[in-house]
Amino acid sequence: MNNTPQTMGRRERLRAQTLQEIEDVSFAIIDADGVQALSIAALARSMAMSAPAVYRYFPSRDALVAHLVTLSYQQLAAAMSQAVEGGRKAPRTRVRLVVTAYRDWALRHRRRYGMLFGERAGELPDEVTTQTPLDQAMAFLIDTLVAVQDTAPTDSTSGDRTLDGQLRRWARSQERPDVTPGVALAANLIWTRVHGIVSLELTGVFDNQAVEAQRLIDLEIDSAIQSLRPPGTGA
């Protein structure tokens, strides 16, 4: 759908349409063959444009990939946000929905997920290389875990004073300075474990195996949520 404002002049409208086409064709190349297959020359050929014309929009391939990485993070975050829109759901259910949306997006966009987590080549600008999925998407997970913590007595620490300090600094870096070390730890445990399982799933490790990746993920979620609770309390 074209959301180009009608108030745009003809030149601005054409530029916006061309930029959208560049994004669409670039993602098509990445989805088919990975980010390594994306070059300004390949893009220009696919669009029946000259390479110099593409450079009017992006000064380099790295700048183009940086733009696509940002868009992919936004798409992933949107998928996770939409998973919990509408209706009142229990916090634990919201956590499961957010994580399921994360996994589903990765399975639908395998090459884009790979681009976000190590498949991209070349040096990207600092503002992209320092980003993490938590910066743009896992905030939803943190917020749902805060809701879990609010529903029952929970443990606000990790049990390791040094790690607690690190988790507090991490929470501040996520613009959530009030998040307890316990919640920060649960968020990190869920993401790192889910990312590991999804990454293995994408490489085919679970193909033709008796173990279901989704059941492993559900167990990791339950384990991380349980870690919020003081020893001796129930689920």
Side-chain angles (χ1 to χ4, degrees):
M1 181 180 295
N2 187 352
N3 295 320
T4 304
Q6 295 300 314
T7 56
M8 277 189 178
R10 181 174 180 276
R11 178 175 296 179
E12 291 79 8
R13 191 164 57 249
L14 289 174
R15 182 174 179 82
Q17 291 171 350
T18 302
L19 176 59
Q20 182 66 60
E21 186 179 357
I22 288 173
E23 293 169 356
D24 293 344
V25 173
S26 295
F27 276 134
I29 292 172
I30 291 170
D31 291 342
D33 299 306
V35 70
Q36 292 88 345
L38 179 64
S39 66
I40 296 298
L43 174 63
R45 285 195 300 271
S46 297
M47 295 182 64
M49 291 176 64
S50 67
V54 176
Y55 281 118
R56 297 193 191 106
Y57 293 83
F58 295 97
S60 67
R61 176 191 180 276
D62 286 347
L64 172 60
V65 173
H67 178 72
L68 297 173
V69 166
T70 298
L71 288 181
S72 296
Y73 276 134
Q74 292 171 351
Q75 293 166 4
L76 176 56
M80 295 170 70
S81 177
Q82 290 165 8
V84 293
E85 284 181 352
R88 299 185 63 180
K89 302 177 180 67
R92 185 185 292 257
T93 299
R94 289 170 62 86
V95 173
R96 286 183 179 273
L97 289 172
V98 166
V99 173
T100 297
Y102 177 94
R103 174 176 177 257
D104 288 347
W105 189 90
L107 295 179
R108 286 197 311 271
H109 305 290
R110 294 167 178 256
R111 299 287 192 172
R112 298 184 203 186
Y113 190 81
M115 175 178 68
L116 297 182
F117 298 101
E119 189 178 293
R120 59 181 185 261
E123 294 297 324
L124 298 179
D126 289 342
E127 63 268 20
V128 173
T129 57
T130 56
Q131 286 181 330
T132 71
L134 288 167
D135 293 329
Q136 303 234 351
M138 298 310 286
F140 298 110
L141 176 58
I142 297 169
D143 293 341
T144 52
L145 287 170
V146 168
V148 169
Q149 188 180 48
D150 289 343
T151 61
T154 55
D155 195 348
S156 62
T157 72
S158 68
D160 180 326
R161 293 181 62 183
T162 300
L163 180 58
D164 283 350
Q166 295 170 354
L167 290 167
R168 288 189 180 96
R169 289 193 295 275
W170 175 84
R172 289 194 295 271
S173 75
Q174 301 301 312
E175 299 182 352
R176 280 161 175 74
D178 297 329
V179 166
T180 65
V183 167
L185 175 62
N188 276 280
L189 288 176
I190 289 176
W191 178 71
T192 54
R193 291 172 181 176
V194 170
H195 171 62
I197 292 170
V198 169
S199 297
L200 290 172
E201 188 175 13
L202 291 175
T203 62
V205 167
F206 294 108
D207 292 353
N208 303 315
Q209 296 288 331
V211 178
E212 297 177 26
Q214 185 60 58
R215 289 187 180 275
L216 290 176
I217 289 173
D218 289 343
L219 183 62
E220 294 294 354
I221 293 171
D222 289 342
S223 177
I225 290 176
Q226 186 61 31
S227 75
L228 289 171
R229 304 180 185 280
T233 62

